[in-house]
Amino acid sequence: MADSVTWYSISELAASLARDANRLRFEWLLPGHGDRRRLPADDMAERLRGLAARTRELRPRPIDFTAMRW
């Protein structure tokens, strides 16, 4: 998660991840770009919980939309 590209609220994103981290069970990650990844569901759950914890540490900051290329 990158706070520099979260257009609404990094705090809301962190809260959403925290809510879902213990409810979702999956083995495959199929991103829109990059390599797909398959791990046992328990490993994926642990990684998602770790992502949620790291995202909670991010603090909101203003986004400089003039620096974005559209």
Side-chain angles (χ1 to χ4, degrees):
M1 298 297 150
D3 59 344
S4 62
V5 295
T6 301
W7 64 270
Y8 175 63
S9 168
I10 198 70
S11 301
E12 288 295 323
L13 176 60
S16 176
L17 280 172
R19 282 190 304 272
D20 293 335
N22 292 317
R23 297 187 307 186
L24 296 175
R25 300 274 305 159
F26 58 96
E27 293 183 359
W28 283 94
L29 181 63
L30 305 170
H33 52 82
D35 293 334
R36 61 187 178 179
R37 179 77 56 162
R38 181 174 187 254
L39 294 172
D42 290 340
D43 291 351
M44 285 292 195
E46 182 62 32
R47 287 175 180 240
L48 186 57
R49 285 190 295 271
L51 177 63
R54 290 189 306 277
T55 304
R56 277 194 302 271
E57 300 298 318
L58 296 174
R59 295 294 163 245
R61 63 182 174 145
I63 299 172
D64 179 6
F65 284 105
T66 63
M68 304 298 271
R69 291 186 58 157
W70 303 97

